[in-house]
Amino acid sequence: MILDGRKISEQIIADLAVRVAAMTADGTRPPHLVAVLVGNEGASETYVAAKMRACERCGFTSTTLRLDVDVTEEHLLQLIESLNSDTAVDGLIVQLPLPPHIDEHHVIAAIDPDKDVDGFHPTNVGRLSIGVPGFVGATPKGIMTLIEHYGIATDGHHAVVVGRSNIVGRPVATLLSLKAAPGNCTVTLCHSGTPDLARFTREADILVTAVGNPGFITADMVKPGAVVFDVGITRVPDPTSRTGYRLRGDVDYDAVEPMCAAITPVPGGVGPMTIATLMQNTLQAYLRRGAVECNETPDG
Ligand code: GUN
């Protein structure tokens, strides 16, 4: 079975658009997402543009703030501070990666956790790790949404995650291990320091790979009947394509698809889900802030 992230994300966005239209029919302002983009790296440009397009489709307003690649960390932190205190901003993301002279951790820590719709702030990471409500990152949330939507069994199953990044691997491993439904997996988190990786991946009922190495997961590394989430999305040169490249996942799709129970394609699998879940998080931020503002603004 192919896990059709494109279709599910379209449904989520259509649902959000209906809800937002109803909420704003009386002139109430819609949710507003701000993306900060430093430099003009091709993939980041594409991702931010896709996020802004999705905002439009949901009926949100959005702003992309572009900063020069050699902007100082201090300037970026000041900008974040002003967006934190701007009541017209509900969600705030800083597209990663940042240039090497800027400390990503300083930048993430500067974002108001209540506007951190990427779920990157230590407060939200902490909330996730102890299983209390907070913002869950778009990619891990997208994977859990696919699991839920397709009714994939997780309880008591062995999930193997390849890649320990803060954006994908680590939070996915946390989510799958939580005492929740979906969840309650036994989780193994593998990474570049794991010897004999295939020994672990072959044991996976659920395999999540977020490595960024096209074709890295071959058929002999996958248990027949496993469910495979391919988060890798790498541009490989392709002169026959209009863009000059095509996107490839971590998994040798043609060989693995026939022998697994379900798999996410690249493109069209996890990627579109991340956009839809970011939109859900932005609405969540807006609704939470709305409640606060109402409480704080009595008549007069
Ligand atoms: N770079 C790669 N993935 C992401 C993401 O989900 N959010 C941000 N801000 N940057 C990214």
Side-chain angles (χ1 to χ4, degrees):
M1 175 173 51
I2 291 166
L3 303 173
D4 190 346
R6 194 166 279 144
K7 189 176 96 192
I8 313 306
S9 79
E10 291 290 321
Q11 286 169 2
I12 291 172
I13 287 172
D15 287 350
L16 288 172
V18 170
R19 287 179 66 189
V20 171
M23 284 185 310
T24 56
D26 65 354
T28 303
R29 77 161 177 85
H32 183 194
L33 176 67
V34 173
V36 178
L37 180 57
V38 180
N40 48 12
E41 204 254 319
S44 291
E45 292 264 2
T46 308
Y47 293 141
V48 170
K51 292 170 188 181
M52 299 297 109
R53 270 199 308 276
C55 281
E56 199 177 324
R57 294 185 55 208
C58 291
F60 301 173
T61 52
S62 67
T63 308
T64 304
L65 297 174
R66 294 171 166 277
L67 298 177
D68 204 71
V69 69
D70 51 23
V71 66
T72 62
E73 182 176 304
E74 191 189 355
H75 184 95
L76 177 54
L77 293 175
Q78 278 166 5
L79 174 64
I80 291 171
E81 205 40 62
S82 72
L83 294 165
N84 283 344
S85 50
D86 185 341
T87 55
V89 175
D90 302 300
L92 169 57
I93 62 173
V94 178
Q95 188 64 26
L96 304 178
L98 291 167
H101 67 279
I102 297 179
D103 186 325
E104 187 176 291
H105 296 296
H106 292 169
V107 171
I108 290 169
I111 298 172
D112 178 347
D114 293 333
K115 296 190 179 188
D116 169 40
V117 287
D118 262 330
F120 290 169
H121 190 281
T123 296
N124 285 315
V125 176
R127 287 171 176 153
L128 171 63
S129 87
I130 61 170
V132 301
F135 289 113
V136 176
T139 308
K141 183 166 169 166
I143 291 171
M144 299 309 285
T145 305
L146 282 175
I147 287 178
E148 222 169 348
H149 183 89
Y150 283 96
I152 292 163
T154 55
D155 195 0
H157 287 228
H158 185 195
V160 175
V161 179
V162 187
R164 59 183 149 187
S165 73
N166 291 337
I167 297 184
V168 186
R170 213 174 281 279
V172 165
T174 302
L175 279 165
L176 289 167
S177 73
L178 287 176
K179 194 166 187 174
N184 214 28
C185 289
T186 301
V187 177
T188 305
L189 180 56
C190 299
H191 45 73
S192 52
T194 303
D196 193 7
L197 176 67
R199 179 163 79 85
F200 297 97
T201 59
R202 272 199 290 267
E203 292 294 316
D205 302 311
I206 296 171
L207 179 62
V208 181
T209 160
V211 175
N213 187 351
F216 178 68
I217 302 289
T218 48
D220 60 313
M221 297 170 76
V222 179
K223 176 160 131 179
V227 177
V228 180
F229 293 92
D230 188 351
V231 188
I233 181 162
T234 307
R235 292 179 172 195
V236 297
D238 180 0
T240 67
S241 145
R242 183 181 50 82
T243 53
Y245 66 85
R246 69 193 167 95
L247 299 176
R248 281 206 57 202
D250 290 342
V251 178
D252 180 358
Y253 184 87
D254 291 341
V256 170
E257 190 273 326
M259 44 87 66
C260 67
I263 185 167
T264 57
V266 177
V270 175
M273 292 303 295
T274 68
I275 305 275
T277 50
L278 178 68
M279 298 300 113
Q280 288 178 318
N281 282 357
T282 303
L283 180 62
Q284 185 186 327
Y286 167 85
L287 291 173
R288 279 206 201 148
R289 283 168 37 74
V292 172
E293 278 165 21
C294 283
N295 292 339
E296 286 179 354
T297 337
D299 277 346

